[in-house]
Amino acid sequence: MYKFNNDEIIFLEFASYPCTGLGCSVSDYLIYDLKNKQVNLFGNFRTANLDFYNFPFDKKLNYISTEYQGDFHGATPLHFIHRIYSLDNKGKFQLTKDSRGKEYYYEIITFPNDLTKEFEYKRNWF
């Protein structure tokens, strides 16, 4: 349970063990705003998103959720895209965007079967 300003938040992680194949390391997160009785659901694959933040651009409770795209067997590049969500007044986490309307994110791309490059890094950060 977390307290931030006037908000009380319950943060639960759900994971499955043991697992097989690509079902391994999948976690789901339930983030519940007690004051607004609002449920927020996030999930991830082979990463951990267990922290809240207070970034200086909006003075709200922030959360970074990670999206995975690619083939973990190495046939295509692997994309790990981290996006910032901010808690609104109704208890819902909303995707956070800059003044130009572009989402804040950073992306790490790995190339498991490419001997010419190891990774790329993209971002729109504050």
Side-chain angles (χ1 to χ4, degrees):
M1 181 169 215
Y2 295 84
K3 285 191 102 156
F4 180 79
N5 294 335
N6 295 324
D7 297 309
E8 290 183 333
I9 307 294
I10 295 174
F11 192 147
L12 299 172
E13 177 186 20
F14 299 92
S16 175
Y17 301 100
C19 59
T20 60
L22 292 178
C24 294
S25 303
V26 174
S27 295
D28 294 304
Y29 302 106
L30 184 146
I31 304 172
Y32 184 72
D33 180 316
L34 287 168
K35 179 175 70 176
N36 294 295
K37 297 180 172 74
Q38 178 65 51
V39 174
N40 295 273
L41 301 172
F42 292 93
N44 72 27
F45 181 66
R46 297 201 179 173
T47 59
N49 300 322
L50 298 171
D51 295 314
F52 289 119
Y53 303 90
N54 183 12
F55 293 124
F57 54 78
D58 66 4
K59 298 182 182 177
K60 296 180 180 181
L61 185 65
N62 305 116
Y63 178 69
I64 297 177
S65 180
T66 303
E67 177 185 337
Y68 163 80
Q69 296 175 359
D71 177 9
F72 242 100
H73 298 300
T76 62
L78 306 174
H79 299 254
F80 295 91
I81 307 164
H82 309 269
R83 292 183 177 90
I84 299 175
Y85 291 81
S86 297
L87 187 66
D88 68 14
N89 295 334
K90 296 179 181 177
K92 188 76 177 162
F93 278 92
Q94 301 290 336
L95 185 62
T96 306
K97 298 181 180 181
D98 64 16
S99 60
R100 298 170 296 168
K102 295 186 177 191
E103 64 186 45
Y104 286 113
Y105 78 97
Y106 66 93
E107 178 178 2
I108 300 167
I109 306 165
T110 63
F111 303 87
N113 291 334
D114 188 339
L115 299 176
T116 62
K117 60 183 167 181
E118 191 172 336
F119 70 92
E120 283 182 19
Y121 185 73
K122 298 179 182 180
R123 66 177 165 63
N124 180 40
W125 209 243
F126 52 94

